[in-house]
Coordinates of all heavy atoms in Angstrom, one line a residue:
M1 N 41.0 33.3 -12.4 CA 40.1 33.5 -11.3 C 40.4 34.8 -10.6 O 41.6 35.2 -10.4 CB 40.3 32.4 -10.2 CG 39.9 31.0 -10.8 SD 38.2 30.8 -11.0 CE 37.8 30.5 -9.2
F2 N 39.4 35.5 -10.1 CA 39.5 36.7 -9.4 C 39.0 36.6 -8.0 O 38.1 37.4 -7.6 CB 38.9 37.9 -10.2 CG 39.5 38.2 -11.5 CD1 39.1 37.6 -12.6 CD2 40.6 39.0 -11.5 CE1 39.7 37.9 -13.8 CE2 41.3 39.3 -12.7 CZ 40.8 38.7 -13.9
L3 N 39.5 35.6 -7.3 CA 38.9 35.4 -6.0 C 39.1 36.5 -5.0 O 38.2 36.7 -4.1 CB 39.6 34.1 -5.4 CG 39.1 32.8 -6.0 CD1 39.9 31.6 -5.4 CD2 37.6 32.6 -5.8
A4 N 40.2 37.3 -5.2 CA 40.4 38.4 -4.3 C 39.5 39.6 -4.6 O 39.3 40.4 -3.7 CB 41.9 38.8 -4.4
C5 N 38.9 39.6 -5.8 CA 38.1 40.7 -6.2 C 36.9 40.9 -5.3 O 36.1 39.9 -5.1 CB 37.6 40.5 -7.6 SG 36.8 41.9 -8.3
G6 N 36.7 42.0 -4.6 CA 35.6 42.2 -3.8 C 35.8 41.6 -2.4 O 34.9 41.7 -1.5
A7 N 36.9 41.0 -2.1 CA 37.1 40.4 -0.8 C 37.2 41.4 0.3 O 36.9 41.0 1.5 CB 38.4 39.6 -0.9
S8 N 37.4 42.6 0.0 CA 37.5 43.6 1.1 C 36.1 44.0 1.6 O 35.9 44.5 2.6 CB 38.2 44.8 0.7 OG 37.6 45.4 -0.4
F9 N 35.0 43.7 0.7 CA 33.7 43.9 1.2 C 33.3 42.8 2.1 O 33.5 41.6 1.8 CB 32.7 44.0 0.0 CG 32.9 45.2 -0.9 CD1 33.7 45.1 -2.0 CD2 32.4 46.4 -0.6 CE1 34.0 46.2 -2.8 CE2 32.6 47.5 -1.4 CZ 33.4 47.4 -2.5
G10 N 32.6 43.1 3.2 CA 32.2 42.1 4.1 C 31.1 41.2 3.5 O 31.0 40.0 3.7
A11 N 30.3 41.8 2.6 CA 29.3 41.0 1.9 C 28.9 41.7 0.6 O 29.5 42.8 0.3 CB 28.0 41.0 2.8
E12 N 28.1 41.1 -0.2 CA 27.7 41.7 -1.5 C 26.9 42.9 -1.2 O 26.1 43.0 -0.2 CB 26.8 40.7 -2.2 CG 27.5 39.4 -2.6 CD 28.6 39.6 -3.6 OE1 28.3 40.3 -4.6 OE2 29.7 39.1 -3.4
P13 N 27.0 43.9 -2.1 CA 26.0 45.1 -2.0 C 24.6 44.6 -2.3 O 24.4 43.5 -2.9 CB 26.6 46.0 -3.0 CG 27.4 45.2 -4.0 CD 27.9 44.0 -3.2
P14 N 23.6 45.3 -1.8 CA 22.2 44.9 -2.1 C 21.9 44.8 -3.6 O 22.5 45.5 -4.4 CB 21.4 46.0 -1.5 CG 22.3 46.8 -0.6 CD 23.7 46.6 -1.1
T15 N 21.1 43.8 -3.9 CA 20.7 43.6 -5.3 C 19.8 44.8 -5.8 O 19.3 45.5 -4.9 CB 19.8 42.4 -5.5 OG1 18.6 42.5 -4.6 CG2 20.6 41.1 -5.0
P16 N 19.6 45.0 -7.1 CA 18.8 46.2 -7.5 C 17.4 46.1 -6.9 O 16.9 47.2 -6.5 CB 18.8 46.0 -9.0 CG 20.1 45.3 -9.3 CD 20.3 44.3 -8.2
V17 N 16.8 45.0 -6.8 CA 15.4 44.9 -6.3 C 15.5 45.3 -4.8 O 14.6 46.1 -4.4 CB 14.9 43.4 -6.4 CG1 13.6 43.3 -5.6 CG2 14.6 43.1 -7.8
R18 N 16.5 44.9 -4.1 CA 16.6 45.2 -2.7 C 16.9 46.7 -2.5 O 16.4 47.4 -1.6 CB 17.7 44.4 -2.0 CG 17.9 44.6 -0.5 CD 16.6 44.2 0.3 NE 16.9 44.4 1.7 CZ 15.9 44.7 2.6 NH1 14.7 44.8 2.2 NH2 16.3 44.9 3.9
Q19 N 17.7 47.3 -3.5 CA 18.0 48.7 -3.4 C 16.7 49.5 -3.5 O 16.6 50.5 -2.8 CB 18.9 49.1 -4.5 CG 20.3 48.5 -4.3 CD 21.3 49.0 -5.4 OE1 21.0 49.9 -6.2 NE2 22.5 48.3 -5.5
T20 N 15.8 49.1 -4.4 CA 14.5 49.8 -4.5 C 13.7 49.7 -3.2 O 13.2 50.7 -2.7 CB 13.7 49.2 -5.6 OG1 14.5 49.2 -6.8 CG2 12.4 50.0 -5.9
E21 N 13.7 48.6 -2.6 CA 13.1 48.4 -1.3 C 13.7 49.3 -0.2 O 13.0 49.9 0.6 CB 13.2 47.0 -0.8 CG 12.3 46.0 -1.5 CD 12.6 44.5 -1.1 OE1 13.3 44.3 -0.1 OE2 12.1 43.6 -1.8
L22 N 15.0 49.4 -0.2 CA 15.7 50.2 0.8 C 15.4 51.7 0.6 O 15.3 52.4 1.6 CB 17.2 49.9 0.7 CG 17.7 48.5 1.2 CD1 19.2 48.3 0.9 CD2 17.4 48.3 2.6
M23 N 15.3 52.1 -0.6 CA 15.0 53.5 -0.9 C 13.6 53.9 -0.4 O 13.3 54.9 0.1 CB 15.2 53.9 -2.4 CG 16.7 53.9 -2.8 SD 17.8 54.7 -1.7 CE 17.4 56.5 -2.0
T24 N 12.7 52.9 -0.6 CA 11.3 53.1 -0.1 C 11.3 53.2 1.4 O 10.6 54.1 2.0 CB 10.4 51.9 -0.6 OG1 10.5 51.9 -2.1 CG2 8.9 52.2 -0.2
L25 N 12.0 52.3 2.0 CA 12.1 52.3 3.5 C 12.7 53.6 4.0 O 12.2 54.3 4.9 CB 13.0 51.2 4.0 CG 13.3 51.1 5.5 CD1 12.3 50.1 6.1 CD2 14.7 50.7 5.8
L26 N 13.7 54.1 3.3 CA 14.4 55.3 3.7 C 13.4 56.5 3.6 O 13.3 57.3 4.5 CB 15.6 55.6 2.7 CG 16.5 56.8 3.1 CD1 17.2 56.6 4.4 CD2 17.6 57.0 2.0
K27 N 12.7 56.6 2.5 CA 11.8 57.7 2.3 C 10.6 57.6 3.3 O 10.1 58.6 3.8 CB 11.3 57.8 0.9 CG 12.4 58.3 0.0 CD 12.0 58.5 -1.4 CE 13.2 58.9 -2.3 NZ 13.1 58.5 -3.7
H28 N 10.0 56.4 3.4 CA 8.8 56.3 4.2 C 9.0 56.2 5.7 O 8.6 57.0 6.5 CB 7.9 55.1 3.7 CG 7.4 55.4 2.3 ND1 6.1 55.0 2.0 CD2 7.9 56.0 1.3 CE1 5.9 55.4 0.7 NE2 7.0 56.0 0.3
D29 N 9.8 55.1 6.1 CA 10.0 54.9 7.5 C 11.0 55.9 8.1 O 10.7 56.5 9.1 CB 10.6 53.5 7.7 CG 9.5 52.4 7.3 OD1 9.2 52.4 6.1 OD2 9.1 51.7 8.1
C30 N 12.2 56.1 7.5 CA 13.1 57.0 8.1 C 12.6 58.4 7.9 O 12.7 59.3 8.7 CB 14.5 56.9 7.4 SG 15.0 55.2 7.1
G31 N 11.9 58.6 6.7 CA 11.4 60.0 6.4 C 10.3 60.5 7.3 O 10.1 61.7 7.5
S32 N 9.6 59.5 8.0 CA 8.6 60.0 8.9 C 9.2 60.8 10.1 O 8.5 61.6 10.7 CB 7.8 58.8 9.5 OG 8.6 57.9 10.2
C33 N 10.5 60.5 10.4 CA 11.1 61.3 11.5 C 12.2 62.3 10.9 O 12.3 63.4 11.4 CB 11.8 60.4 12.4 SG 10.7 59.6 13.6
H34 N 12.9 61.8 9.9 CA 14.0 62.7 9.3 C 13.5 63.6 8.2 O 14.4 64.3 7.7 CB 15.1 61.8 8.9 CG 15.8 61.1 10.1 ND1 16.7 61.7 10.9 CD2 15.7 59.8 10.6 CE1 17.1 60.9 11.8 NE2 16.5 59.7 11.7
G35 N 12.3 63.4 7.8 CA 11.8 64.2 6.7 C 11.9 63.5 5.4 O 12.9 62.8 5.2
L36 N 10.9 63.6 4.5 CA 10.9 62.9 3.2 C 12.2 63.2 2.4 O 12.7 62.3 1.7 CB 9.7 63.4 2.4 CG 9.3 62.5 1.2 CD1 9.0 61.1 1.6 CD2 8.1 63.1 0.5
T37 N 12.7 64.4 2.5 CA 14.0 64.7 1.8 C 15.1 64.8 2.8 O 16.2 65.4 2.5 CB 13.8 66.0 1.0 OG1 13.4 67.0 1.9 CG2 12.8 65.9 -0.1
M38 N 15.0 64.2 4.0 CA 16.0 64.1 5.0 C 16.4 65.5 5.6 O 17.5 65.6 6.1 CB 17.3 63.3 4.5 CG 16.9 62.0 3.9 SD 16.3 60.9 5.2 CE 14.9 60.1 4.3
K39 N 15.5 66.5 5.4 CA 15.9 67.8 5.9 C 15.6 67.9 7.4 O 15.8 69.0 8.0 CB 15.1 68.9 5.2 CG 15.5 69.0 3.8 CD 15.1 70.4 3.2 CE 15.7 70.7 1.9 NZ 14.8 70.1 0.8
G40 N 15.1 66.8 8.0 CA 14.9 66.8 9.5 C 13.5 67.0 9.9 O 12.7 67.5 9.1
G41 N 13.2 66.6 11.1 CA 11.8 66.7 11.6 C 12.0 66.4 13.1 O 12.7 67.0 13.8
L42 N 11.3 65.3 13.5 CA 11.6 64.8 14.9 C 13.0 64.4 15.0 O 13.7 64.6 16.0 CB 10.6 63.6 15.2 CG 10.9 62.9 16.5 CD1 10.6 63.8 17.7 CD2 9.9 61.6 16.6
G43 N 13.5 63.8 13.9 CA 15.0 63.4 13.9 C 15.8 64.5 13.2 O 15.2 65.3 12.5
P44 N 17.1 64.5 13.4 CA 17.9 65.5 12.8 C 18.0 65.3 11.3 O 17.7 64.3 10.8 CB 19.3 65.3 13.5 CG 19.3 63.8 13.8 CD 17.8 63.5 14.2
P45 N 18.4 66.4 10.6 CA 18.6 66.3 9.1 C 19.7 65.3 8.9 O 20.7 65.2 9.6 CB 19.0 67.7 8.7 CG 19.2 68.5 9.9 CD 18.7 67.8 11.1
L46 N 19.5 64.5 7.8 CA 20.5 63.5 7.3 C 21.0 63.9 5.9 O 20.9 63.2 5.0 CB 20.0 62.1 7.3 CG 19.4 61.6 8.7 CD1 18.7 60.2 8.5 CD2 20.5 61.5 9.7
L47 N 21.5 65.2 5.8 CA 21.9 65.7 4.5 C 23.4 65.5 4.4 O 24.1 65.4 5.4 CB 21.5 67.2 4.4 CG 20.0 67.4 4.5 CD1 19.8 68.9 4.6 CD2 19.3 66.9 3.3
P48 N 23.9 65.5 3.1 CA 25.4 65.4 3.0 C 26.1 66.3 3.8 O 27.1 65.9 4.5 CB 25.5 65.7 1.5 CG 24.2 65.2 0.8 CD 23.2 65.5 1.9
D49 N 25.7 67.6 3.9 CA 26.4 68.6 4.7 C 26.4 68.2 6.2 O 27.4 68.4 6.9 CB 25.8 70.0 4.6 CG 26.2 70.6 3.3 OD1 27.0 70.0 2.6 OD2 25.6 71.7 3.0
T50 N 25.3 67.8 6.7 CA 25.2 67.5 8.1 C 25.9 66.3 8.5 O 26.2 66.1 9.7 CB 23.7 67.4 8.6 OG1 23.0 66.5 7.8 CG2 23.0 68.8 8.5
L51 N 26.2 65.4 7.6 CA 26.9 64.1 7.9 C 28.4 64.3 7.7 O 29.2 63.4 8.1 CB 26.4 63.0 7.0 CG 24.9 62.6 7.2 CD1 24.5 61.5 6.3 CD2 24.6 62.3 8.7
T52 N 28.8 65.4 7.1 CA 30.3 65.6 6.9 C 31.0 65.5 8.3 O 30.6 66.0 9.3 CB 30.5 67.0 6.3 OG1 29.8 67.1 5.1 CG2 32.0 67.2 6.0
G53 N 32.1 64.7 8.2 CA 32.9 64.6 9.4 C 32.5 63.4 10.3 O 33.2 63.1 11.3
K54 N 31.3 62.9 10.1 CA 30.8 61.7 10.9 C 31.3 60.4 10.2 O 31.5 60.3 9.0 CB 29.3 61.8 11.0 CG 28.9 63.1 11.6 CD 27.5 63.0 12.2 CE 27.2 64.3 12.9 NZ 25.9 64.4 13.5
D55 N 31.6 59.5 11.1 CA 32.1 58.2 10.6 C 31.1 57.3 10.0 O 30.0 57.1 10.6 CB 32.8 57.6 11.9 CG 33.5 56.3 11.5 OD1 34.5 56.4 10.7 OD2 33.1 55.2 12.0
D56 N 31.4 56.7 8.9 CA 30.5 55.8 8.2 C 30.0 54.6 9.1 O 28.8 54.3 9.2 CB 31.1 55.2 7.0 CG 31.2 56.1 5.8 OD1 30.5 57.2 5.8 OD2 32.0 55.8 4.9
Q57 N 31.0 54.0 9.8 CA 30.7 52.9 10.6 C 29.8 53.3 11.8 O 28.9 52.5 12.2 CB 32.0 52.3 11.2 CG 32.9 51.6 10.2 CD 32.2 50.5 9.5 OE1 31.3 49.8 10.0 NE2 32.7 50.1 8.3
E58 N 30.1 54.5 12.3 CA 29.3 54.9 13.5 C 27.8 55.2 13.0 O 26.9 54.9 13.7 CB 30.0 56.2 14.0 CG 29.2 56.9 15.2 CD 29.0 56.0 16.4 OE1 29.6 54.9 16.5 OE2 28.1 56.4 17.2
L59 N 27.7 55.8 11.9 CA 26.3 56.1 11.4 C 25.6 54.8 11.1 O 24.4 54.7 11.4 CB 26.4 57.0 10.1 CG 26.9 58.4 10.3 CD1 27.2 59.1 9.0 CD2 26.0 59.2 11.2
A60 N 26.3 53.8 10.5 CA 25.6 52.6 10.2 C 25.3 51.9 11.5 O 24.2 51.2 11.6 CB 26.6 51.7 9.4
R61 N 26.1 52.0 12.5 CA 25.8 51.4 13.8 C 24.6 52.0 14.5 O 23.7 51.3 15.0 CB 27.0 51.5 14.8 CG 27.0 50.6 16.0 CD 27.9 51.1 17.1 NE 27.7 52.5 17.5 CZ 26.7 52.9 18.2 NH1 25.8 52.0 18.6 NH2 26.5 54.2 18.5
I62 N 24.4 53.4 14.3 CA 23.3 54.0 14.9 C 22.0 53.5 14.2 O 21.0 53.2 14.8 CB 23.4 55.6 14.7 CG1 24.4 56.1 15.6 CG2 22.0 56.3 14.9 CD1 24.7 57.6 15.5
I63 N 22.1 53.3 12.8 CA 21.0 52.8 12.1 C 20.6 51.4 12.6 O 19.4 51.1 12.8 CB 21.2 52.8 10.5 CG1 21.4 54.3 10.0 CG2 20.1 52.1 9.8 CD1 21.9 54.4 8.6
L64 N 21.6 50.6 12.8 CA 21.3 49.2 13.2 C 20.8 49.1 14.7 O 19.9 48.3 15.0 CB 22.6 48.4 13.0 CG 23.0 48.1 11.6 CD1 24.4 47.4 11.6 CD2 22.0 47.2 10.9
D65 N 21.4 49.9 15.6 CA 21.2 49.8 17.0 C 20.3 50.8 17.6 O 19.8 50.7 18.7 CB 22.5 49.8 17.8 CG 23.3 48.5 17.5 OD1 22.7 47.5 17.1 OD2 24.6 48.6 17.6
G66 N 20.0 51.9 16.8 CA 19.2 53.0 17.3 C 20.0 53.8 18.4 O 21.2 53.6 18.6
V67 N 19.4 54.8 19.0 CA 20.0 55.6 20.0 C 19.2 55.4 21.3 O 18.0 55.9 21.4 CB 20.1 57.1 19.6 CG1 20.8 57.9 20.7 CG2 20.8 57.3 18.3
P68 N 19.7 54.7 22.3 CA 18.9 54.4 23.5 C 18.5 55.7 24.2 O 19.3 56.7 24.2 CB 19.9 53.7 24.4 CG 21.0 53.1 23.5 CD 21.0 54.1 22.3
G69 N 17.3 55.8 24.6 CA 16.7 57.0 25.3 C 16.3 58.1 24.3 O 15.8 59.1 24.7
K70 N 16.5 57.8 23.0 CA 16.0 58.8 22.0 C 15.0 58.1 21.0 O 15.0 56.9 21.0 CB 17.2 59.3 21.1 CG 18.3 59.9 22.0 CD 18.0 61.3 22.4 CE 19.1 61.9 23.2 NZ 19.3 63.3 23.1
P71 N 14.3 58.9 20.2 CA 13.3 58.2 19.4 C 13.9 57.3 18.3 O 13.2 56.5 17.7 CB 12.5 59.4 18.8 CG 12.8 60.5 19.6 CD 14.2 60.3 20.2
M72 N 15.2 57.5 18.0 CA 15.8 56.7 16.9 C 15.8 55.2 17.3 O 16.4 54.7 18.2 CB 17.3 57.1 16.7 CG 18.0 56.3 15.7 SD 17.3 56.5 14.0 CE 18.3 55.3 13.1
P73 N 14.9 54.4 16.5 CA 14.8 53.0 16.8 C 15.9 52.2 16.1 O 16.5 52.6 15.2 CB 13.4 52.6 16.2 CG 13.3 53.6 15.0 CD 14.1 54.8 15.3
P74 N 16.2 50.9 16.6 CA 17.1 50.1 16.0 C 16.4 49.4 14.7 O 15.2 49.1 14.8 CB 17.4 49.0 17.0 CG 16.2 49.0 17.9 CD 15.6 50.4 17.8
W75 N 17.2 49.2 13.7 CA 16.7 48.6 12.4 C 17.3 47.3 12.1 O 17.2 46.7 11.1 CB 16.9 49.6 11.3 CG 16.1 50.8 11.5 CD1 16.5 51.9 12.1 CD2 14.8 51.1 11.1 NE1 15.5 52.9 12.1 CE2 14.4 52.3 11.5 CE3 13.8 50.3 10.4 CZ2 13.2 52.9 11.3 CZ3 12.6 50.9 10.1 CH2 12.3 52.1 10.6
R76 N 18.0 46.7 13.1 CA 18.8 45.5 12.9 C 17.9 44.3 12.4 O 18.4 43.4 11.7 CB 19.5 45.1 14.3 CG 20.5 44.1 14.2 CD 21.2 43.9 15.5 NE 22.2 44.9 15.8 CZ 23.4 45.0 15.2 NH1 23.7 44.1 14.2 NH2 24.3 45.9 15.5
F77 N 16.7 44.4 12.8 CA 15.8 43.3 12.4 C 15.3 43.4 11.0 O 14.8 42.4 10.4 CB 14.6 43.1 13.4 CG 15.1 43.0 14.8 CD1 15.1 44.0 15.7 CD2 15.7 41.8 15.2 CE1 15.6 43.9 17.0 CE2 16.2 41.7 16.5 CZ 16.1 42.7 17.4
E78 N 15.4 44.6 10.4 CA 15.0 44.8 9.0 C 16.2 44.9 8.1 O 16.0 44.7 6.9 CB 14.2 46.1 8.9 CG 13.0 46.0 9.8 CD 11.8 46.8 9.2 OE1 11.7 46.8 7.9 OE2 11.0 47.3 9.9
L79 N 17.3 45.3 8.6 CA 18.5 45.7 7.7 C 19.7 44.9 8.1 O 20.0 44.7 9.2 CB 18.8 47.2 7.9 CG 17.8 48.2 7.5 CD1 18.2 49.6 7.9 CD2 17.5 48.1 6.0
Q80 N 20.4 44.4 7.0 CA 21.7 43.8 7.2 C 22.7 44.9 7.4 O 22.5 46.0 6.9 CB 22.0 43.0 5.9 CG 21.1 41.9 5.6 CD 21.0 40.8 6.7 OE1 22.1 40.4 7.2 NE2 19.8 40.4 7.0
P81 N 23.8 44.6 8.0 CA 24.9 45.6 8.2 C 25.3 46.3 6.9 O 25.4 47.5 6.8 CB 26.0 44.8 8.9 CG 25.4 43.7 9.6 CD 24.2 43.4 8.8
E82 N 25.4 45.5 5.8 CA 25.9 46.1 4.6 C 24.8 46.9 4.0 O 25.1 47.9 3.2 CB 26.4 45.0 3.6 CG 25.3 44.0 3.1 CD 25.2 42.8 4.0 OE1 25.7 42.9 5.2 OE2 24.6 41.8 3.6
E83 N 23.5 46.7 4.3 CA 22.4 47.5 3.8 C 22.4 48.8 4.6 O 22.1 49.9 4.0 CB 21.1 46.8 4.0 CG 21.0 45.6 3.1 CD 19.8 44.7 3.3 OE1 19.1 44.8 4.4 OE2 19.4 43.9 2.4
A84 N 22.7 48.8 5.9 CA 22.8 50.1 6.6 C 24.0 50.9 6.0 O 23.8 52.1 5.9 CB 23.1 49.8 8.1
R85 N 25.1 50.3 5.7 CA 26.2 51.0 5.1 C 25.8 51.6 3.7 O 26.2 52.7 3.4 CB 27.4 50.1 4.9 CG 28.3 50.0 6.2 CD 29.1 51.3 6.5 NE 30.1 51.5 5.5 CZ 30.1 52.4 4.5 NH1 29.1 53.2 4.4 NH2 31.1 52.6 3.7
W86 N 25.1 50.8 3.0 CA 24.6 51.3 1.7 C 23.7 52.5 1.8 O 23.9 53.5 1.1 CB 23.9 50.1 1.0 CG 23.5 50.4 -0.4 CD1 24.3 50.2 -1.5 CD2 22.2 50.9 -0.9 NE1 23.5 50.6 -2.7 CE2 22.3 51.0 -2.3 CE3 21.0 51.3 -0.2 CZ2 21.2 51.5 -3.1 CZ3 20.0 51.8 -1.0 CH2 20.1 51.9 -2.4
L87 N 22.9 52.5 2.8 CA 22.0 53.7 3.1 C 22.8 54.9 3.5 O 22.5 56.0 3.1 CB 21.0 53.3 4.2 CG 19.8 52.4 3.7 CD1 18.9 52.0 4.9 CD2 19.0 53.1 2.7
V88 N 23.9 54.7 4.3 CA 24.7 55.8 4.6 C 25.3 56.4 3.4 O 25.4 57.7 3.2 CB 25.9 55.4 5.6 CG1 26.9 56.5 5.8 CG2 25.3 55.0 7.0
D89 N 25.8 55.6 2.4 CA 26.3 56.1 1.2 C 25.3 56.9 0.4 O 25.6 57.9 -0.2 CB 26.8 54.9 0.3 CG 28.1 54.3 0.8 OD1 28.7 54.9 1.7 OD2 28.4 53.2 0.3
R90 N 24.0 56.4 0.4 CA 22.9 57.2 -0.3 C 22.7 58.5 0.4 O 22.5 59.5 -0.3 CB 21.6 56.4 -0.3 CG 21.6 55.0 -1.0 CD 21.8 55.1 -2.5 NE 23.2 55.4 -2.9 CZ 24.2 54.6 -2.8 NH1 24.1 53.4 -2.3 NH2 25.4 55.0 -3.3
L91 N 22.7 58.5 1.7 CA 22.5 59.8 2.5 C 23.7 60.8 2.1 O 23.4 62.0 2.0 CB 22.5 59.6 4.0 CG 21.2 58.8 4.5 CD1 21.4 58.4 5.9 CD2 20.0 59.6 4.3
R92 N 24.9 60.2 2.0 CA 26.0 61.1 1.7 C 25.9 61.7 0.3 O 26.4 62.8 0.1 CB 27.3 60.3 1.8 CG 27.8 60.0 3.2 CD 29.3 59.9 3.3 NE 29.7 59.4 4.6 CZ 29.7 60.2 5.7 NH1 29.4 61.5 5.6 NH2 30.1 59.7 6.8
E93 N 25.3 60.9 -0.6 CA 25.1 61.5 -2.0 C 24.0 62.5 -2.0 O 23.9 63.3 -2.8 CB 24.7 60.3 -2.9 CG 25.8 59.5 -3.4 CD 25.3 58.3 -4.3 OE1 24.0 58.1 -4.4 OE2 26.1 57.6 -4.8
G94 N 23.0 62.3 -1.1 CA 21.8 63.2 -1.0 C 20.7 62.5 -1.9 O 21.0 61.9 -2.9
L95 N 19.5 62.7 -1.4 CA 18.4 62.1 -2.1 C 18.0 63.1 -3.3 O 18.0 64.3 -3.1 CB 17.2 61.9 -1.2 CG 17.4 60.9 -0.1 CD1 16.1 60.5 0.6 CD2 18.1 59.6 -0.5
K96 N 17.6 62.5 -4.4 CA 17.2 63.3 -5.5 C 15.8 63.9 -5.3 O 15.0 63.2 -4.8 CB 17.3 62.6 -6.9 CG 18.5 61.7 -7.1 CD 19.7 62.4 -7.3 CE 21.0 61.6 -7.4 NZ 21.3 60.7 -6.3
Ligands
HEC101 C1 10.8 57.5 15.4 C2 11.7 58.5 14.7 C3 12.9 58.0 13.9 C4 12.8 57.1 12.9 C5 11.7 56.3 12.3 C6 14.2 57.0 12.4 N1 15.0 57.9 13.1 FE1 17.0 58.2 12.8 N2 17.1 59.4 14.4 C7 16.0 59.9 15.1 C8 16.4 60.7 16.2 C9 15.5 61.5 17.2 C10 17.8 60.8 16.1 C11 18.8 61.6 16.9 C12 19.2 60.8 18.1 C13 20.1 61.6 19.0 O1 19.6 62.5 19.6 O2 21.3 61.2 19.1 C14 18.2 60.0 14.9 C15 19.5 59.8 14.5 C16 19.9 59.2 13.3 C17 21.2 59.1 12.8 C18 22.4 59.8 13.3 C19 22.5 61.2 12.8 C20 23.7 61.9 13.2 O3 23.9 63.0 12.7 O4 24.5 61.4 14.1 C21 21.1 58.4 11.6 C22 22.2 58.1 10.6 C23 19.8 58.0 11.4 N3 19.0 58.5 12.5 C24 19.3 57.3 10.4 C25 18.0 56.8 10.3 C26 17.6 55.8 9.3 C27 18.5 55.3 8.1 C28 16.3 55.5 9.5 C29 15.4 54.5 8.8 C30 16.0 53.2 8.6 C31 15.9 56.3 10.7 N4 17.0 57.0 11.1 C32 14.6 56.2 11.3 C33 14.7 59.5 14.9 C34 14.2 58.5 14.0

């Protein structure tokens, strides 16, 4: 048995089907402010370079809770915490 395997993850990573949904959300919903390729628009660029030095947890928290007083809306009702973290990883890799 490998019960300890993956125990450090709070939850399972998104399934492949959900990953496709999340990428569509990222390009369409997030892209409407951050740009289709995340180069920025109404929202700041979310490129690997611009995210350097920022904390994964903090970025995921912003995605879940939004930024009060700024146009960045909360996504907690659409995204699970582990899905927000997964999106941060995709942003760090950069969109193809
Ligand atoms: C209505 C416009 C809008 C939408 C839609 C939007 N954002 Fe934002 N986002 C912003 C703005 C504006 C900021 C900057 C807030 C500030 O000034 O601190 C921001 C900030 C962020 C940050 C912090 C960036 C940093 O460098 O600290 C992240 C990460 C982020 N958004 C991710 C997302 C994701 C992922 C989505 C889609 C699930 C999304 N945003 C959708 C407007 C938007």
Side-chain angles (χ1 to χ4, degrees):
M1 295 288 280
F2 293 94
L3 286 177
C5 187
S8 61
F9 292 96
E12 297 293 314
T15 61
V17 170
R18 184 63 180 152
Q19 290 185 13
T20 306
E21 288 174 7
L22 292 173
M23 290 314 285
T24 303
L25 177 95
L26 187 64
K27 286 182 184 154
H28 292 220
D29 296 63
C30 317
S32 65
C33 283
H34 292 282
L36 194 60
T37 53
M38 304 298 137
K39 289 201 173 84
L42 173 62
L46 302 176
L47 299 171
D49 282 354
T50 53
L51 297 179
T52 302
K54 301 199 175 181
D55 183 64
D56 285 344
Q57 292 298 337
E58 176 60 13
L59 293 171
R61 195 197 56 73
I62 290 176
I63 294 171
L64 291 172
D65 294 333
V67 181
K70 304 281 178 147
M72 176 65 187
W75 296 88
R76 194 173 280 287
F77 304 105
E78 301 216 30
L79 297 173
Q80 300 297 317
E82 64 274 16
E83 293 174 340
R85 275 291 288 107
W86 185 85
L87 285 174
V88 170
D89 287 345
R90 299 292 76 70
L91 292 171
R92 285 207 189 283
E93 280 177 357
L95 299 193
K96 317 290 172 308

